Amino acid sequence: MTLLGDLNAGPLVAANDPEQPENYEAASAGLDVPYVEQDRRCTFCPDNAISSVDSDAFGVLIDHVMLAGWEGSTSSTRVLDEAVTIETCGNQVPGAHSDHYGVSVTITP
């Protein structure tokens, strides 16, 4: 089984604030959460040009890939976290791929 997405819930890990930690605990019970165990960086972060996170706040880790029943090793990383520049009406505007950064998990049998 795989459960993935923006769950608007996450644990207190690294330099991240918890977000609805009781909901995160319920959703992740009995599941492997490789990104939380390995990378742990925020996915909704103050350094993202289009997120609504205050620049002096900690980010939250609310985007997840949760696994059950998969055999093998996993590796995970945050993706799509580089800044992009968008040209509009002749102006260069700082942007991002999304207001959330992505999570990538690779399963190796």
Side-chain angles (χ1 to χ4, degrees):
M1 179 191 78
T2 305
L3 172 64
L4 53 97
D6 171 6
L7 302 183
N8 282 329
L12 171 63
V13 292
N16 300 305
D17 282 334
E19 180 75 20
Q20 302 294 328
E22 61 284 348
N23 293 349
Y24 171 79
E25 292 301 323
S28 64
L31 301 177
D32 293 321
V33 191
Y35 184 80
V36 170
E37 298 161 0
Q38 297 168 5
D39 193 311
R40 310 179 88 168
R41 290 179 289 166
C42 62
T43 58
F44 191 61
C45 311
D47 67 345
N48 185 321
I50 63 172
S51 77
S52 60
V53 179
D54 292 333
S55 61
D56 61 347
F58 291 109
V60 291
L61 197 171
I62 57 176
D63 301 274
H64 302 283
V65 176
M66 299 179 178
L67 307 169
W70 294 88
E71 293 187 21
S73 61
T74 59
S75 61
S76 62
T77 191
R78 190 172 73 183
V79 295
L80 301 173
D81 57 359
E82 63 276 352
V84 298
T85 302
I86 301 163
E87 185 171 337
T88 179
C89 301
N91 297 314
Q92 300 289 319
V93 178
H97 296 284
S98 171
D99 62 337
H100 292 235
Y101 297 140
V103 171
S104 174
V105 173
T106 301
I107 303 166
T108 305

XYZ file of all heavy atoms in Angstrom:
802
model
N 0.838 -1.161 0.000
C 0.000 0.000 0.000
C 0.890 1.232 0.000
O 1.954 1.250 0.606
C -0.888 0.027 1.241
C -1.761 1.263 1.271
S -2.632 1.563 2.814
C -1.345 2.230 3.815
N 0.434 2.250 -0.681
C 1.119 3.533 -0.690
C 0.102 4.623 -0.406
O -0.950 4.689 -1.036
C 1.772 3.806 -2.064
O 2.634 2.721 -2.387
C 2.555 5.089 -2.047
N 0.415 5.474 0.548
C -0.393 6.647 0.853
C 0.514 7.843 0.632
O 1.597 7.919 1.211
C -0.876 6.607 2.310
C -1.577 7.852 2.844
C -2.882 8.110 2.093
C -1.838 7.704 4.344
N 0.110 8.744 -0.247
C 0.976 9.879 -0.509
C 0.170 11.137 -0.755
O -0.991 11.086 -1.139
C 1.908 9.600 -1.689
C 1.283 9.148 -3.003
C 1.115 10.316 -3.947
C 2.169 8.087 -3.623
N 0.815 12.258 -0.480
C 0.208 13.541 -0.770
C 0.426 14.564 0.325
O 1.151 14.347 1.292
N -0.241 15.686 0.139
C -0.246 16.776 1.113
C -1.291 16.421 2.153
O -2.481 16.560 1.920
C -0.590 18.086 0.403
C -0.829 19.244 1.356
O -0.629 19.085 2.570
O -1.229 20.309 0.864
N -0.840 15.970 3.318
C -1.762 15.525 4.361
C -2.089 16.633 5.360
O -2.887 16.428 6.275
C -1.181 14.317 5.092
C -0.866 13.099 4.226
C -0.363 11.959 5.083
C -2.056 12.674 3.397
N -1.452 17.808 5.189
C -1.645 18.911 6.144
C -1.444 18.444 7.582
O -2.111 18.919 8.498
C -3.011 19.582 5.971
C -3.021 20.516 4.791
O -2.005 21.115 4.455
N -4.155 20.639 4.145
N -0.537 17.506 7.751
C -0.195 16.978 9.069
C 1.246 16.493 9.016
O 1.667 15.937 8.001
C -1.122 15.833 9.455
N 1.983 16.738 10.095
C 3.358 16.284 10.115
C 3.940 16.297 11.507
O 3.431 16.962 12.405
N 5.041 15.563 11.679
C 5.653 15.422 13.000
C 6.592 16.580 13.320
O 6.964 17.364 12.450
C 6.454 14.131 12.850
C 6.904 14.176 11.414
C 5.727 14.761 10.671
N 7.000 16.647 14.556
C 8.064 17.541 14.988
C 9.373 16.821 14.714
O 9.716 15.855 15.395
C 7.932 17.866 16.479
C 9.099 18.625 17.115
C 9.258 19.992 16.471
C 8.889 18.773 18.610
N 10.076 17.231 13.671
C 11.385 16.661 13.333
C 12.299 17.772 12.857
O 11.840 18.772 12.301
C 11.297 15.575 12.229
C 10.577 14.344 12.706
C 10.679 16.103 10.963
N 13.570 17.580 13.072
C 14.600 18.535 12.648
C 14.186 19.946 13.057
O 13.792 20.170 14.189
C 14.852 18.396 11.149
N 14.231 20.887 12.133
C 13.881 22.284 12.445
C 12.468 22.608 11.987
O 12.154 23.741 11.665
C 14.878 23.225 11.784
N 11.607 21.627 11.942
C 10.238 21.821 11.471
C 9.267 21.907 12.642
O 9.412 21.217 13.638
C 9.797 20.652 10.576
C 10.679 20.505 9.374
O 10.858 21.438 8.615
N 11.252 19.330 9.201
N 8.267 22.743 12.489
C 7.177 22.779 13.454
C 6.244 21.600 13.185
O 6.060 21.213 12.035
C 6.375 24.075 13.315
C 7.065 25.263 13.963
O 7.854 25.055 14.898
O 6.806 26.392 13.531
N 5.638 21.040 14.219
C 4.633 20.006 13.975
C 3.356 20.647 13.430
O 3.074 21.809 13.708
C 4.400 19.402 15.359
C 4.730 20.507 16.302
C 5.813 21.313 15.642
N 2.625 19.913 12.637
C 1.340 20.380 12.104
C 0.335 19.258 12.317
O 0.479 18.176 11.745
C 1.465 20.703 10.611
C 0.213 21.185 9.953
C -0.137 22.629 10.319
O 0.749 23.380 10.764
O -1.305 22.980 10.151
N -0.647 19.495 13.177
C -1.652 18.471 13.485
C -0.972 17.124 13.760
O -1.253 16.115 13.101
C -2.652 18.341 12.329
C -3.386 19.608 11.969
C -4.315 20.082 13.074
O -4.873 19.281 13.805
N -4.434 21.388 13.213
N -0.046 17.080 14.738
C 0.725 15.847 14.953
C -0.126 14.636 15.300
O 0.225 13.509 14.941
C 1.681 16.206 16.099
C 1.072 17.402 16.749
C 0.307 18.134 15.682
N -1.256 14.843 15.950
C -2.116 13.691 16.264
C -2.707 13.093 14.984
O -2.870 11.868 14.876
C -3.226 14.079 17.255
C -4.188 15.148 16.784
C -3.654 16.590 16.803
O -2.594 16.867 17.387
O -4.322 17.456 16.203
N -3.001 13.907 13.997
C -3.493 13.392 12.712
C -2.375 12.668 11.964
O -2.607 11.633 11.334
C -4.044 14.517 11.852
C -5.305 15.128 12.423
O -5.899 14.599 13.361
N -5.720 16.251 11.879
N -1.162 13.215 12.032
C -0.020 12.553 11.415
C 0.195 11.176 12.043
O 0.392 10.192 11.332
C 1.250 13.401 11.544
C 2.472 12.645 11.117
C 2.767 12.487 9.767
C 3.302 12.020 12.044
C 3.865 11.747 9.362
C 4.390 11.280 11.655
C 4.669 11.145 10.309
O 5.744 10.396 9.909
N 0.162 11.108 13.361
C 0.360 9.829 14.044
C -0.700 8.809 13.644
O -0.397 7.637 13.432
C 0.385 10.022 15.564
C 1.585 10.789 16.071
C 2.913 10.131 15.728
O 2.999 8.883 15.749
O 3.871 10.865 15.431
N -1.940 9.239 13.523
C -3.018 8.327 13.112
C -2.816 7.853 11.676
O -2.980 6.668 11.373
C -4.375 9.015 13.264
N -2.448 8.769 10.782
C -2.276 8.410 9.364
C -1.073 7.507 9.152
O -1.096 6.618 8.295
C -2.139 9.671 8.516
N -0.004 7.716 9.917
C 1.234 6.975 9.678
C 1.371 5.713 10.528
O 2.346 4.969 10.360
C 2.435 7.891 9.933
O 2.493 8.284 11.289
N 0.405 5.445 11.393
C 0.494 4.273 12.273
C 0.662 2.995 11.455
O -0.125 2.705 10.558
C -0.750 4.177 13.150
N 1.723 2.252 11.723
C 1.978 0.984 11.051
C 2.582 1.122 9.669
O 2.773 0.119 8.980
N 2.893 2.350 9.249
C 3.454 2.575 7.912
C 4.899 3.041 8.013
O 5.300 3.643 9.013
C 2.640 3.634 7.162
C 1.157 3.335 6.960
C 0.468 4.503 6.276
C 0.969 2.056 6.159
N 5.675 2.769 6.986
C 7.024 3.308 6.885
C 6.919 4.670 6.218
O 6.194 4.843 5.224
C 7.915 2.399 6.041
C 8.169 1.057 6.705
O 8.350 1.028 7.935
O 8.184 0.040 5.986
N 7.651 5.642 6.747
C 7.644 6.997 6.191
C 9.106 7.379 5.929
O 9.732 8.072 6.726
C 6.950 7.996 7.140
C 6.726 9.319 6.436
C 5.628 7.435 7.661
N 9.661 6.915 4.799
C 11.094 7.075 4.554
C 11.588 8.514 4.606
O 12.659 8.780 5.155
C 11.291 6.482 3.154
C 10.137 5.562 2.968
C 8.999 6.158 3.734
N 10.850 9.454 4.058
C 11.328 10.832 4.027
C 11.475 11.398 5.437
O 12.456 12.069 5.743
C 10.395 11.712 3.186
C 10.907 13.128 3.040
C 11.901 13.423 2.104
C 10.429 14.155 3.835
C 12.398 14.710 1.984
C 10.911 15.444 3.714
C 11.896 15.717 2.788
O 12.390 16.995 2.668
N 10.531 11.114 6.299
C 10.604 11.593 7.688
C 11.783 10.936 8.394
O 12.448 11.564 9.220
C 9.281 11.318 8.430
C 9.416 11.578 9.924
C 8.163 12.167 7.849
N 12.078 9.695 8.053
C 13.174 8.978 8.683
C 14.533 9.369 8.109
O 15.543 9.259 8.793
C 12.960 7.469 8.513
C 11.697 6.965 9.190
C 11.233 5.607 8.675
O 11.897 5.026 7.779
O 10.188 5.135 9.145
N 14.577 9.849 6.847
C 15.857 10.043 6.171
C 16.205 11.506 5.907
O 17.257 11.980 6.314
C 15.865 9.279 4.840
C 15.732 7.791 5.028
C 15.447 7.055 3.739
O 15.440 7.630 2.655
N 15.201 5.767 3.853
N 15.375 12.242 5.236
C 15.724 13.598 4.814
C 15.270 14.640 5.831
O 16.057 15.438 6.302
C 15.122 13.892 3.434
C 15.685 15.148 2.797
O 15.728 16.190 3.482
O 16.062 15.113 1.619
N 14.002 14.666 6.130
C 13.415 15.443 7.230
C 13.309 16.944 6.997
O 12.935 17.666 7.896
C 14.173 15.185 8.528
C 14.350 13.721 8.830
C 15.110 13.508 10.061
N 14.135 13.504 11.154
C 14.388 13.137 12.357
N 15.588 12.771 12.684
N 13.467 13.157 13.268
N 13.634 17.448 5.811
C 13.504 18.890 5.578
C 12.037 19.248 5.352
O 11.232 18.413 4.925
C 14.329 19.314 4.364
C 15.821 19.252 4.608
C 16.607 19.639 3.388
N 16.488 18.584 2.382
C 16.833 18.738 1.105
N 17.295 19.887 0.668
N 16.715 17.725 0.264
N 11.705 20.498 5.618
C 10.329 20.958 5.435
C 9.899 20.809 3.976
O 10.727 20.793 3.065
C 10.172 22.416 5.874
S 11.164 23.599 4.946
N 8.597 20.678 3.768
C 8.041 20.661 2.418
C 7.173 21.889 2.154
O 6.890 22.221 1.012
C 7.223 19.383 2.161
O 6.174 19.278 3.130
C 8.119 18.146 2.224
N 6.744 22.554 3.208
C 6.037 23.838 3.115
C 6.893 24.797 3.918
O 6.861 24.784 5.152
C 4.608 23.704 3.663
C 3.729 24.887 3.377
C 3.449 25.268 2.070
C 3.173 25.620 4.406
C 2.622 26.352 1.794
C 2.343 26.703 4.152
C 2.073 27.070 2.848
N 7.702 25.599 3.203
C 8.866 26.245 3.813
C 8.872 27.762 3.618
O 8.393 28.265 2.600
C 10.133 25.701 3.180
S 10.234 23.897 3.091
N 9.490 28.474 4.557
C 9.553 29.927 4.434
C 10.451 30.416 3.303
O 10.292 31.547 2.842
C 10.080 30.383 5.795
C 10.733 29.206 6.392
C 10.036 28.006 5.827
N 11.382 29.593 2.815
C 12.248 30.047 1.726
C 11.619 29.881 0.339
O 12.208 30.246 -0.663
C 13.606 29.342 1.784
C 13.521 27.849 1.500
O 12.414 27.281 1.541
O 14.583 27.245 1.269
N 10.414 29.347 0.287
C 9.693 29.192 -0.980
C 9.016 30.523 -1.319
O 8.202 31.034 -0.552
C 8.665 28.070 -0.840
C 7.950 27.765 -2.139
O 7.622 28.659 -2.907
N 7.699 26.494 -2.364
N 9.346 31.072 -2.479
C 8.877 32.412 -2.857
C 7.361 32.527 -2.955
O 6.822 33.625 -2.824
C 9.507 32.820 -4.188
N 6.665 31.409 -3.164
C 5.208 31.522 -3.336
C 4.414 30.855 -2.216
O 3.196 30.757 -2.288
C 4.747 30.996 -4.706
C 5.028 29.502 -4.876
C 5.376 31.797 -5.832
C 4.423 28.903 -6.132
N 5.106 30.428 -1.154
C 4.366 29.862 -0.018
C 3.901 30.995 0.884
O 4.399 32.110 0.826
C 5.226 28.883 0.786
O 6.133 29.575 1.608
N 2.961 30.688 1.724
C 2.448 31.694 2.655
C 3.069 31.575 4.041
O 2.563 32.147 4.995
C 0.923 31.556 2.750
O 0.578 30.267 3.214
N 4.180 30.833 4.154
C 4.855 30.665 5.437
C 5.623 31.948 5.748
O 6.352 32.469 4.908
C 5.831 29.471 5.402
C 6.549 29.311 6.733
C 5.107 28.189 5.033
N 5.459 32.477 6.959
C 6.194 33.669 7.372
C 7.692 33.414 7.265
O 8.179 32.336 7.627
C 5.868 34.050 8.818
C 4.440 34.543 8.984
O 3.875 35.071 8.004
O 3.892 34.388 10.088
N 8.432 34.422 6.816
C 9.867 34.253 6.603
C 10.631 33.987 7.899
O 11.728 33.441 7.866
C 10.447 35.476 5.904
O 10.255 36.624 6.706
N 10.083 34.359 9.039
C 10.764 34.097 10.308
C 10.241 32.845 11.011
O 10.618 32.551 12.136
C 10.660 35.306 11.236
C 9.221 35.657 11.600
O 8.285 35.138 10.949
O 9.036 36.452 12.531
N 9.379 32.097 10.345
C 8.806 30.879 10.936
C 9.601 29.652 10.488
O 10.347 29.689 9.512
C 7.350 30.720 10.507
N 9.427 28.569 11.220
C 9.953 27.286 10.767
C 9.000 26.730 9.724
O 7.816 27.057 9.703
C 10.056 26.292 11.932
C 11.104 26.654 12.931
C 10.744 27.113 14.180
C 12.445 26.529 12.620
C 11.707 27.447 15.118
C 13.418 26.861 13.555
C 13.043 27.325 14.804
N 9.486 25.870 8.872
C 8.615 25.207 7.926
C 7.932 24.016 8.566
O 8.150 23.708 9.742
N 7.089 23.366 7.780
C 6.431 22.148 8.238
C 6.650 21.048 7.206
O 6.808 21.313 6.016
C 4.914 22.365 8.503
C 4.700 23.251 9.708
C 4.210 22.955 7.303
N 6.656 19.830 7.680
C 6.822 18.671 6.814
C 5.448 18.013 6.718
O 5.056 17.244 7.593
C 7.863 17.725 7.432
C 8.485 16.663 6.548
C 9.632 15.995 7.277
C 7.522 15.677 6.014
N 4.692 18.383 5.684
C 3.299 17.926 5.589
C 3.000 17.142 4.313
O 1.879 16.712 4.101
C 2.310 19.104 5.724
C 2.577 20.174 4.685
C 2.370 19.674 7.136
C 1.563 21.323 4.696
N 4.013 16.949 3.475
C 3.845 16.182 2.237
C 4.574 14.860 2.426
O 5.739 14.846 2.824
C 4.402 16.971 1.057
C 3.687 18.309 0.924
O 2.632 18.329 0.275
O 4.170 19.308 1.491
N 3.890 13.764 2.157
C 4.407 12.463 2.578
C 4.259 11.387 1.515
O 3.365 11.440 0.671
C 3.654 11.979 3.827
C 3.745 12.928 4.980
N 4.869 13.019 5.754
C 2.864 13.824 5.468
C 4.676 13.944 6.688
N 3.458 14.439 6.537
N 5.142 10.393 1.620
C 5.010 9.102 0.951
C 5.102 8.078 2.071
O 6.130 7.960 2.728
C 6.115 8.865 -0.097
C 5.998 7.469 -0.689
C 6.071 9.930 -1.188
N 3.998 7.376 2.306
C 3.930 6.364 3.371
C 3.737 5.001 2.727
O 2.940 4.863 1.789
C 2.774 6.676 4.323
C 2.915 8.013 4.999
S 1.499 8.347 6.081
C 1.984 9.924 6.769
N 4.461 4.010 3.229
C 4.494 2.695 2.591
C 4.158 1.583 3.571
O 4.522 1.650 4.745
C 5.898 2.427 2.036
C 6.503 3.472 1.108
C 7.973 3.168 0.880
C 5.736 3.518 -0.196
N 3.522 0.547 3.055
C 3.313 -0.699 3.798
C 3.336 -1.849 2.801
O 2.797 -1.731 1.693
C 1.990 -0.679 4.552
N 3.983 -2.937 3.182
C 3.990 -4.124 2.340
C 5.020 -4.108 1.227
O 5.007 -4.983 0.372
N 5.908 -3.142 1.217
C 6.979 -3.094 0.223
C 8.226 -3.702 0.831
O 8.566 -3.411 1.964
C 7.276 -1.651 -0.186
C 6.165 -0.985 -0.917
C 5.136 -0.294 -0.363
C 5.959 -0.951 -2.318
N 4.297 0.182 -1.337
C 4.781 -0.210 -2.565
C 6.646 -1.465 -3.415
C 4.293 0.024 -3.835
C 6.155 -1.222 -4.683
C 4.996 -0.497 -4.885
N 8.911 -4.535 0.067
C 10.159 -5.115 0.551
C 11.317 -4.463 -0.170
O 11.236 -4.171 -1.357
C 10.172 -6.625 0.319
C 9.130 -7.340 1.166
C 9.254 -8.841 1.053
O 10.324 -9.332 0.668
O 8.269 -9.522 1.375
N 12.374 -4.224 0.552
C 13.558 -3.618 -0.030
C 13.974 -2.401 0.758
O 13.420 -2.086 1.806
N 14.964 -1.723 0.227
C 15.451 -0.520 0.891
C 14.858 0.711 0.199
O 14.421 0.644 -0.944
C 16.979 -0.476 0.859
O 17.429 -0.438 -0.483
N 14.856 1.803 0.926
C 14.315 3.042 0.372
C 15.341 4.156 0.484
O 16.198 4.158 1.370
C 13.040 3.491 1.111
O 13.350 3.695 2.492
C 11.917 2.479 0.962
N 15.245 5.087 -0.427
C 15.984 6.340 -0.324
C 14.985 7.442 -0.652
O 14.047 7.244 -1.414
C 17.180 6.371 -1.270
O 16.751 6.255 -2.613
N 15.188 8.594 -0.032
C 14.229 9.673 -0.245
C 14.942 11.015 -0.254
O 16.020 11.170 0.332
C 13.151 9.656 0.837
O 13.725 9.856 2.106
N 14.311 11.972 -0.907
C 14.853 13.315 -0.958
C 13.746 14.304 -1.292
O 12.693 13.917 -1.813
C 16.002 13.422 -1.985
O 16.665 14.663 -1.818
C 15.494 13.295 -3.410
N 14.007 15.549 -0.976
C 13.083 16.618 -1.360
C 13.409 17.008 -2.789
O 14.568 17.078 -3.188
C 13.264 17.819 -0.424
C 12.203 18.880 -0.577
C 12.309 19.939 0.480
N 13.453 20.811 0.235
C 13.824 21.792 1.039
N 13.164 22.020 2.167
N 14.862 22.543 0.744
N 12.382 17.254 -3.595
C 12.562 17.591 -5.003
C 11.758 18.840 -5.358
O 10.887 19.273 -4.602
C 12.144 16.418 -5.920
C 13.047 15.212 -5.720
C 10.688 16.032 -5.707
N 12.066 19.381 -6.516
C 11.388 20.568 -7.039
C 11.461 21.723 -6.049
O 10.498 22.470 -5.858
C 9.936 20.253 -7.419
C 9.754 19.166 -8.476
C 8.284 18.824 -8.648
C 10.374 19.585 -9.794
N 12.640 21.853 -5.417
C 12.810 22.896 -4.413
C 13.714 24.042 -4.869
O 14.039 24.925 -4.092
C 13.315 22.310 -3.100
C 14.622 21.545 -3.227
O 15.162 21.432 -4.345
O 15.109 21.053 -2.198
N 14.077 24.024 -6.136
C 14.904 25.114 -6.630
C 14.021 26.299 -7.031
O 12.879 26.128 -7.447
C 15.770 24.669 -7.819
C 14.994 24.236 -9.042
C 14.521 22.783 -9.010
O 14.909 22.026 -8.110
O 13.732 22.428 -9.898
N 14.576 27.475 -6.861
C 13.849 28.680 -7.249
C 13.769 28.759 -8.768
O 14.653 28.273 -9.475
C 14.563 29.911 -6.695
N 12.716 29.332 -9.255
C 12.569 29.585 -10.682
C 12.257 31.065 -10.866
O 11.755 31.723 -9.958
C 11.460 28.715 -11.326
C 11.798 27.246 -11.210
C 10.117 28.992 -10.714
N 12.577 31.561 -12.043
C 12.254 32.941 -12.368
C 11.235 32.927 -13.495
O 11.400 32.225 -14.489
C 13.514 33.714 -12.792
O 14.461 33.655 -11.721
C 13.193 35.159 -13.112
N 10.193 33.673 -13.301
C 9.110 33.734 -14.276
C 9.116 35.124 -14.894
O 9.236 36.128 -14.184
C 7.761 33.460 -13.589
C 7.791 32.079 -12.936
C 6.607 33.602 -14.565
C 6.713 31.851 -11.918
N 9.007 35.174 -16.208
C 8.925 36.472 -16.867
C 7.464 36.773 -17.155
O 6.749 35.967 -17.764
C 9.727 36.488 -18.157
C 9.738 37.859 -18.786
C 10.695 37.984 -19.949
O 11.650 37.196 -20.019
O 10.470 38.873 -20.768
N 7.018 37.927 -16.702
C 5.649 38.348 -16.944
C 5.628 39.841 -17.214
O 6.216 40.616 -16.465
C 4.708 37.980 -15.772
O 3.396 38.430 -16.065
C 5.160 38.543 -14.459
N 5.010 40.212 -18.302
C 4.905 41.630 -18.688
C 6.278 42.296 -18.715
O 6.430 43.455 -18.305
C 3.960 42.374 -17.760
S 2.293 41.715 -17.740
N 7.292 41.554 -19.142
C 8.638 42.101 -19.236
C 9.397 42.169 -17.926
O 10.525 42.652 -17.887
N 8.818 41.688 -16.838
C 9.468 41.700 -15.523
C 9.863 40.295 -15.110
O 9.156 39.332 -15.401
C 8.527 42.281 -14.456
C 8.183 43.721 -14.722
O 9.054 44.526 -15.029
N 6.909 44.056 -14.611
N 10.980 40.196 -14.410
C 11.434 38.932 -13.841
C 10.870 38.815 -12.431
O 11.080 39.695 -11.596
C 12.959 38.885 -13.794
C 13.618 39.009 -15.147
C 13.432 37.769 -15.992
O 13.529 36.648 -15.506
N 13.143 37.958 -17.258
N 10.128 37.748 -12.164
C 9.471 37.560 -10.878
C 9.979 36.255 -10.254
O 9.986 35.218 -10.918
C 7.928 37.494 -11.053
C 7.238 37.248 -9.733
C 7.420 38.750 -11.737
N 10.408 36.308 -8.973
C 10.837 35.057 -8.343
C 9.646 34.129 -8.136
O 8.545 34.577 -7.820
C 11.422 35.505 -6.999
C 10.835 36.842 -6.733
C 10.503 37.456 -8.070
N 9.888 32.850 -8.343
C 8.797 31.889 -8.193
C 9.307 30.528 -7.763
O 10.448 30.377 -7.340
N 8.437 29.562 -7.871
C 8.744 28.178 -7.503
C 7.835 27.268 -8.318
O 6.861 27.726 -8.912
C 8.515 27.963 -6.008
N 8.149 25.987 -8.338
C 7.307 25.021 -9.050
C 5.932 24.904 -8.408
O 4.946 24.644 -9.089
C 7.981 23.647 -9.083
C 9.261 23.633 -9.844
N 9.315 23.646 -11.217
C 10.547 23.637 -9.416
C 10.570 23.643 -11.609
N 11.344 23.634 -10.536
N 5.869 25.065 -7.097
C 4.633 24.946 -6.329
C 4.851 25.647 -5.002
O 5.990 25.958 -4.637
C 4.312 23.460 -6.089
O 3.242 23.302 -5.181
N 3.788 25.865 -4.254
C 3.975 26.433 -2.914
C 4.479 25.376 -1.928
O 4.870 25.703 -0.817
C 2.700 27.106 -2.406
C 1.517 26.171 -2.260
O 1.489 25.115 -2.931
O 0.600 26.495 -1.486
N 4.479 24.109 -2.331
C 5.058 23.017 -1.542
C 6.202 22.422 -2.341
O 6.137 22.333 -3.570
C 4.046 21.889 -1.307
C 2.914 22.259 -0.417
N 2.610 21.539 0.708
C 1.997 23.249 -0.484
C 1.553 22.068 1.293
N 1.162 23.107 0.583
N 7.248 21.958 -1.644
C 8.290 21.187 -2.291
C 7.836 19.731 -2.351
O 7.006 19.293 -1.557
C 9.602 21.296 -1.524
C 10.154 22.711 -1.473
C 10.726 23.205 -0.322
C 10.102 23.542 -2.588
C 11.242 24.499 -0.281
C 10.613 24.830 -2.555
C 11.178 25.310 -1.393
O 11.696 26.573 -1.343
N 8.384 18.991 -3.286
C 7.991 17.604 -3.466
C 8.839 16.649 -2.653
O 9.905 16.995 -2.163
N 8.350 15.428 -2.542
C 9.062 14.336 -1.876
C 9.188 13.196 -2.880
O 8.213 12.808 -3.508
C 8.279 13.864 -0.618
C 8.902 12.595 -0.055
C 8.238 14.960 0.423
N 10.398 12.676 -3.030
C 10.626 11.536 -3.898
C 11.163 10.384 -3.060
O 12.079 10.567 -2.263
C 11.661 11.903 -4.972
O 11.998 10.783 -5.749
N 10.563 9.210 -3.247
C 11.018 7.998 -2.559
C 11.309 6.935 -3.615
O 10.477 6.685 -4.491
C 9.971 7.480 -1.545
C 10.389 6.131 -0.972
C 9.754 8.499 -0.439
N 12.485 6.340 -3.531
C 12.869 5.247 -4.426
C 12.936 3.965 -3.606
O 13.554 3.945 -2.530
C 14.244 5.518 -5.071
O 14.165 6.742 -5.808
C 14.650 4.393 -5.995
N 12.277 2.926 -4.101
C 12.294 1.623 -3.440
C 13.176 0.690 -4.275
O 12.943 0.522 -5.472
C 10.876 1.033 -3.340
C 9.956 2.003 -2.604
C 10.907 -0.336 -2.675
C 8.479 1.681 -2.730
N 14.185 0.114 -3.637
C 15.093 -0.813 -4.313
C 14.878 -2.204 -3.738
O 15.056 -2.404 -2.532
C 16.560 -0.377 -4.115
O 16.702 0.970 -4.555
C 17.495 -1.281 -4.884
N 14.446 -3.157 -4.597
C 14.186 -4.524 -4.102
C 15.438 -5.198 -3.575
O 16.520 -4.893 -3.918
C 13.643 -5.274 -5.311
C 13.508 -4.302 -6.415
C 14.176 -3.026 -6.001
